């Protein structure tokens, strides 16, 4: 009979291994072994395979972000407020994890892994608040070329994932996520509205 917590053990093991070694470098068998599961097909049994495992890992991160984003967005009256609605729920979710944690480093790996990106794109309709915040950010930057705005929004994701992964790895005992969140919000808001150098 399967253990009730076996799927959770697999998620924890996969998140750590993917964070440390990269998603492509870790086999389903290694995940099962790290989770203490003698069934080397455990990932397929519980998640239907690698894609299902990735989907479950992404889901457990994204599930709790929308309510916090909604609360912050309802208070927003500025570009910085919108950015805080996007960023702070992420850093707060990291702060709620036990230490050491591997979530931020896993997400950095996921954003560079094609199959995970495809899964994330498919989940966009399940994050309507995030979509509204992003639309609001774009609306506040109508004085800039839309191409510039879109490129900077992509850079915002890169900054957030890379910086959080670095903080998690460097300060594994006690990451200061609250301070990090405020710092990242200020830096990202500044980057989004920075002047554009004219081509000569």
């Amino acid at each position: 009979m399967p253990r009730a917590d076996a799927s959770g053990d697999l998620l924890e093991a996969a998140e750590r291994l993917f964070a440390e070694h990269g998603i492509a470098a870790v086999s389903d068998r290694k995940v099962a072994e790290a989770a203490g599961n003698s069934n080397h097909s455990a990932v397929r049994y519980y998640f239907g395979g690698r894609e299902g495992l990735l989907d479950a890992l992404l889901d457990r991160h994204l599930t709790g972000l929308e309510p916090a984003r909604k609360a912050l967005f309802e208070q927003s009256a500025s570009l910085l407020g919108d950015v805080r609605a996007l960023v702070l729920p992420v850093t707060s979710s990291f702060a709620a994890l036990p230490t050491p944690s591997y979530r931020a480093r896993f997400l950095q790996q996921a954003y560079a892994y094609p199959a995970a990106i495809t899964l994330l794109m498919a989940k966009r309709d399940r994050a309507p608040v995030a979509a509204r915040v992003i639309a609001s950010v774009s609306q506040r930057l109508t004085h800039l070329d839309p191409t510039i705005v879109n490129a900077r929004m992509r850079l915002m994701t890169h900054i957030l994932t890379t910086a959080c992964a670095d903080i998690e790895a460097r300060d594994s005992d006690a990451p200061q996520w609250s301070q990090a969140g405020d710092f990242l919000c200020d830096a990202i808001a500044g980057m989004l509205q920075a002047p554009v150098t004219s081509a000569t």
Side-chain angles (χ1 to χ4, degrees):
M1 181 180 216
R3 297 197 324 274
D5 60 347
S7 61
D9 291 343
L10 289 165
L11 289 173
E12 293 300 328
E15 186 170 83
R16 177 176 62 79
L17 291 174
F18 291 161
E20 292 178 334
H21 305 291
I23 296 171
V26 178
S27 68
D28 291 352
R29 178 173 180 151
K30 285 183 180 176
V31 171
E33 289 174 349
N37 198 311
S38 59
N39 178 4
H40 293 154
S41 300
V43 169
R44 180 167 298 280
Y45 178 84
Y46 286 99
F47 301 103
R50 173 60 58 99
E51 185 172 310
L53 175 63
L54 283 172
D55 193 59
L57 284 167
L58 294 169
D59 256 354
R60 75 174 188 170
H61 170 67
L62 296 171
T63 299
L65 298 182
E66 284 283 282
R69 281 193 170 136
K70 183 175 186 293
L72 287 169
F73 185 47
E74 287 174 349
Q75 301 170 23
S76 175
S78 65
L79 177 67
L80 178 59
D82 289 355
V83 171
R84 289 176 68 82
L86 289 171
V87 172
L88 294 185
V90 176
T91 53
S92 294
S93 74
F94 295 151
L97 297 173
T99 54
S101 61
Y102 301 89
R103 183 80 41 92
R105 283 169 285 176
F106 159 70
L107 290 169
Q108 183 186 34
Q109 296 286 351
Y111 275 99
Y113 190 72
I117 293 172
T118 299
L119 290 169
L120 284 165
M121 296 294 284
K123 294 177 185 295
R124 285 186 299 181
D125 62 342
R126 291 163 61 182
V129 178
R132 283 170 49 211
V133 180
I134 289 168
S136 179
V137 169
S138 297
Q139 207 46 42
R140 296 185 194 277
L141 297 171
T142 51
H143 59 288
L144 296 175
D145 185 306
T147 304
I148 296 291
V149 174
N150 289 335
R152 289 181 177 181
M153 292 289 280
R154 290 193 297 273
L155 182 57
M156 175 180 69
T157 300
H158 178 72
I159 290 170
L160 181 59
T161 54
T162 302
C164 287
D166 180 64
I167 290 165
E168 185 181 70
R170 187 184 64 239
D171 304 327
S172 59
D173 289 336
Q176 301 299 306
W177 288 116
S178 178
Q179 294 92 320
D182 289 339
F183 174 83
L184 286 168
C185 289
D186 293 343
I188 289 169
M191 178 273 294
L192 288 171
Q193 59 193 331
V196 179
T197 302
S198 300
T200 55

